[in-house]
């Protein structure tokens, strides 16, 4: 159930990116949209036809000439009357035209308010609304294609089908409760158990696709840490393909956080290079180390870089334990032994064997100078994120979707337990209803004001 009330006022905003361009679009939505366009354009607009008109201010002075489009509700993006004024893309003329629209009775739209109105007027569901923002913010071809699939309803359709099957299972359970005198006991004849198992199988498929969608849209954060001169900045430069960080033989060159975004077959990675971890009396370096520790605590994966020429297994384990002590909880760690071009093969094999006992850790040997081991590292990063580059039919998703899917799975598993162990029909039905509510939060069939406010406030103004 949608909880936000429908707006009765008229909103306006620039729908194109700020700056200088050939064309800029001002979008107006609401009951006054047609009347405002009449005052500015001085001519009635034919629905869904492009009309070349003058744009006049409140004093009747010519501001610009351009194209006006009128979409009467409910056959518009928002479901309301919508007018788009397309003029020249200079910042000054755009501001003059927008101010005229506001003077005629509209107000500035909030971030995402056009999409919010489309959702509230049942033109799109919440997944499709989020897909609009995901499409705009896509950083790869794969992410854009996934967002289009969600916008076209692929994700919504799968959630709707799953909810329908949950309702069907609830019907059987509640029938056994309401009609105990019937000869067939729906709870014990295996029918409900089969339905619940089928629900879990469906959910697993959806969850796998949603996980890929989250990786495409949000990616993962990799923090590169280690002692000074271990080769952290060289690793960042090699992975990003450009000289983002200064590399010298002087220890402590990196004093601040350096960030780079890269793509691995569509997987978005945020690389964060940090200051070398060591004891220092230099206040500037101390601040860099503090920032490095903060970055480590928020990483999805830690890339701990070790200099192969200056360490042994004992020193590596000490460094590993020190890095993990900086995290609020154990995060996956990839131990990267750098400069192996200077190490004998038998010494490398010995280190591998001595480090196998470290938990939740992968050991990869590379040379940032020669590129040795980098393909192995790239494949490791993709596999560690459970990312499948060639996955077909993937749709865009967000972490809130994964959270809702997890809650739905937990509820369905609890319903199975109540059925198998306790034969408690009322509890089976209750758990299935909780799963249904969790899934309805994804599409927006059941949403709180706080959730909707958080989602749409992250949109750009004019969308």
């Amino acid at each position: 159930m949608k909880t936000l009330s429908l707006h009765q006022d008229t909103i306006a905003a620039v729908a194109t990116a700020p700056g200088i361009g050939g064309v800029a679009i001002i979008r107006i939505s609401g009951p006054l949209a047609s009347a405002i366009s009449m005052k500015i354009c001085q001519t009635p607009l034919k629905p869904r036809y492009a009309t070349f008109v003058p744009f006049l201010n409140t004093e009747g002075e010519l501001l610009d000439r351009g194209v006006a489009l009128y979409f009467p509700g409910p056959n518009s993006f928002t479901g309301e009357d919508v007018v788009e004024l397309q003029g020249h893309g200079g910042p000054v003329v755009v501001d003059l035209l927008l101010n005229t629209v506001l003077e005629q009775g509209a107000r500035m739209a909030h971030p995402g308010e056009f999409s919010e109105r489309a959702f509230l007027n049942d033109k799109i569901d919440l997944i499709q609304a989020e897909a609009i923002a995901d499409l705009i913010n896509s950083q790869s071809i794969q992410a854009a294609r996934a967002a289009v699939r969600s916008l076209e309803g692929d994700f919504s359709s799968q959630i709707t089908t799953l909810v329908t099957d949950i309702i069907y299972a609830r019907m059987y359970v509640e029938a056994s409760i309401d009609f105990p005198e019937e000869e067939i006991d729906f709870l014990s004849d295996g029918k409900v158990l089969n339905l619940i198992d089928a629900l879990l199988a469906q959910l697993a498929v959806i969850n796998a696709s949603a996980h890929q969608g989250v990786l495409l849209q949000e990616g993962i954060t990799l923090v590169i840490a280690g002692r000074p001169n271990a080769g952290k900045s060289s690793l960042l430069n090699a992975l990003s393909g450009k000289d983002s960080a200064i590399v010298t033989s002087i220890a402590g060159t990196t004093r601040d956080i350096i960030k780079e975004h890269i793509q691995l077959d569509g997987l978005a990675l945020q690389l964060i290079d940090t200051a070398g971890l060591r004891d220092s009396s230099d206040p500037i370096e101390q601040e860099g180390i503090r920032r490095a520790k903060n970055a480590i605590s928020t990483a999805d994966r830690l890339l701990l870089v070790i200099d192969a020429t200056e360490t042994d297994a004992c020193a590596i384990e000490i460094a590993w334990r020190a890095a993990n002590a900086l995290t609020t909880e154990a995060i996956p760690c990839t131990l990267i032994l750098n400069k192996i071009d200077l190490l004998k093969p038998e010494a490398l094999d010995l280190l591998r064997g001595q480090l196998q006992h470290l938990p939740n850790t992968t050991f990869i040997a590379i040379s940032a100078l020669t590129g040795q081991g980098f393909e192995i590292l790239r494949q490791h990063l993709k596999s560690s994120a459970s990312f499948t580059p060639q996955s077909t039919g993937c749709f865009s998703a967000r972490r809130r979707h994964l959270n809702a899917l997890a809650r739905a799975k937990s509820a369905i598993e609890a319903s199975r337990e109540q059925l198998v162990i306790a034969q408690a029909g009322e509890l089976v039905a209750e758990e299935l209803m909780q799963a249904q509510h969790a899934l309805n939060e994804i599409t927006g069939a059941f949403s709180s004001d706080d959730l909707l406010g958080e989602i749409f406030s992250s949109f750009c103004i004019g969308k």
Side-chain angles (χ1 to χ4, degrees):
M1 181 177 64
K2 298 174 182 179
T3 56
L4 288 179
S5 60
L6 297 180
H7 297 290
Q8 298 301 317
D9 49 356
T10 299
I11 59 174
V14 180
T16 45
I20 298 176
V23 176
I25 299 174
I26 292 176
R27 178 176 290 153
I28 311 167
S29 179
L32 296 180
S34 179
I36 291 173
S37 70
M38 182 64 191
K39 294 176 182 178
I40 293 176
C41 304
Q42 295 292 297
T43 184
L45 299 179
K46 186 177 181 180
R48 289 173 293 281
Y49 276 79
T51 307
F52 184 70
V53 292
F55 297 147
L56 308 180
N57 65 14
T58 52
E59 282 80 37
E61 299 172 338
L62 181 67
L63 298 176
D64 194 8
R65 292 183 183 273
V67 173
L69 293 164
Y70 173 44
F71 304 94
N75 299 317
S76 68
F77 172 68
T78 63
E80 306 170 336
D81 286 353
V82 171
V83 171
E84 289 190 355
L85 305 178
Q86 303 182 7
H88 293 96
V92 174
V93 69
V94 171
D95 285 344
L96 289 172
L97 184 55
L98 178 60
N99 286 333
T100 300
V101 172
L102 299 179
E103 290 171 1
Q104 297 289 4
R107 68 164 173 82
M108 275 294 295
H110 302 305
E113 193 167 1
F114 291 95
S115 298
E116 179 184 324
R117 292 191 176 198
F119 166 70
L120 294 173
N121 290 325
D122 293 320
K123 304 299 291 185
I124 54 176
D125 63 27
L126 199 52
I127 291 177
Q128 291 171 304
E130 291 171 302
I132 294 171
D134 291 340
L135 182 59
I136 293 171
N137 296 321
S138 295
Q139 298 185 33
S140 69
I141 294 175
Q142 295 92 329
R145 288 172 177 169
V148 169
R149 292 189 189 100
S150 282
L151 186 56
E152 290 297 300
D154 285 10
F155 191 8
S156 304
S157 176
Q158 293 189 43
I159 294 296
T160 300
T161 299
L162 183 56
V163 169
T164 300
D165 290 345
I166 289 176
I167 294 173
Y168 183 69
R170 285 180 58 195
M171 177 190 71
Y172 267 83
V173 174
E174 291 171 6
S176 69
I177 297 171
D178 295 338
F179 304 101
E181 69 280 358
E182 295 293 328
E183 294 182 3
I184 299 177
D185 185 350
F186 297 122
L187 292 177
S188 61
D189 69 355
K191 176 70 174 180
V192 175
L193 181 60
N194 290 337
L195 290 174
I196 291 176
D197 286 341
L199 292 175
L200 289 171
Q202 282 179 261
L203 191 58
V205 173
I206 296 174
N207 190 68
S209 293
H211 178 73
Q212 295 297 310
V214 170
L215 289 176
L216 282 173
Q217 291 299 331
E218 300 182 12
I220 59 174
T221 299
L222 305 174
V223 173
I224 304 172
R227 290 186 59 78
N229 269 3
K232 302 183 299 301
S233 296
S234 297
L235 175 61
L236 175 77
N237 291 345
L239 285 173
S240 65
K242 54 186 178 181
D243 293 332
S244 300
I246 298 174
V247 177
T248 73
S249 59
I250 302 173
T253 302
T254 302
R255 299 294 187 94
D256 204 349
I257 299 295
I258 300 176
K259 298 181 180 180
E260 278 293 340
H261 290 84
I262 66 170
Q263 299 283 337
L264 289 182
D265 295 332
L267 173 62
L269 298 179
Q270 178 178 240
L271 300 174
I272 300 179
D273 185 21
T274 61
L277 301 175
R278 66 175 177 179
D279 293 330
S280 174
S281 58
D282 184 339
I284 298 178
E285 188 173 2
Q286 287 177 350
E287 175 60 20
I289 293 170
R290 186 191 66 80
R291 296 186 182 191
K293 292 178 178 179
N294 287 340
I296 291 172
S297 67
T298 60
D300 291 318
R301 174 169 286 272
L302 176 64
L303 303 184
L304 184 59
V305 183
I306 305 292
D307 185 341
T309 65
E310 297 181 357
T311 190
D312 55 21
C314 180
I316 292 176
E317 182 166 351
I318 291 173
W320 175 86
R321 296 191 183 281
N324 275 271
L326 300 175
T327 63
T328 54
E329 60 183 41
I331 64 171
C333 177
T334 299
L335 271 175
I336 298 181
L337 192 64
N338 188 27
K339 306 181 185 180
I340 60 170
D341 52 308
L342 304 177
L343 196 67
K344 294 181 179 179
E346 55 268 23
L348 178 60
D349 292 338
L350 178 62
L351 277 177
R352 289 182 187 275
Q354 292 174 330
L355 295 171
Q356 287 180 348
H357 68 285
L358 296 181
N360 206 28
T361 301
T362 303
F363 182 89
I364 293 180
I366 68 163
S367 170
L369 178 64
T370 67
Q372 183 180 352
F374 265 74
E375 185 56 34
I376 296 175
L377 175 59
R378 293 187 181 96
Q379 293 301 322
H380 160 70
L381 294 177
K382 287 187 289 186
S383 63
S384 63
S386 300
F387 180 69
T388 307
Q390 304 303 325
S391 57
T392 58
C394 178
F395 44 74
S396 66
R398 299 186 172 195
R399 293 187 189 274
R400 80 165 190 92
H401 301 151
L402 295 182
N403 178 268
L405 290 170
R407 285 186 283 118
K409 178 184 177 183
S410 178
I412 296 174
E413 288 176 339
S415 73
R416 191 183 194 282
E417 183 177 334
Q418 294 295 343
L419 175 65
V420 173
I421 298 177
Q423 286 283 300
E426 293 86 352
L427 296 179
V428 173
E430 173 63 24
E431 293 293 351
L432 289 175
M433 184 174 67
Q434 293 301 319
Q436 183 179 338
H437 283 327
L439 295 173
N440 281 338
E441 287 182 15
I442 295 177
T443 60
F446 177 81
S447 300
S448 66
D449 285 357
D450 290 342
L451 174 63
L452 296 181
E454 179 181 348
I455 289 172
F456 288 109
S457 66
S458 66
F459 282 42
C460 57
I461 295 175
K463 200 59 191 154

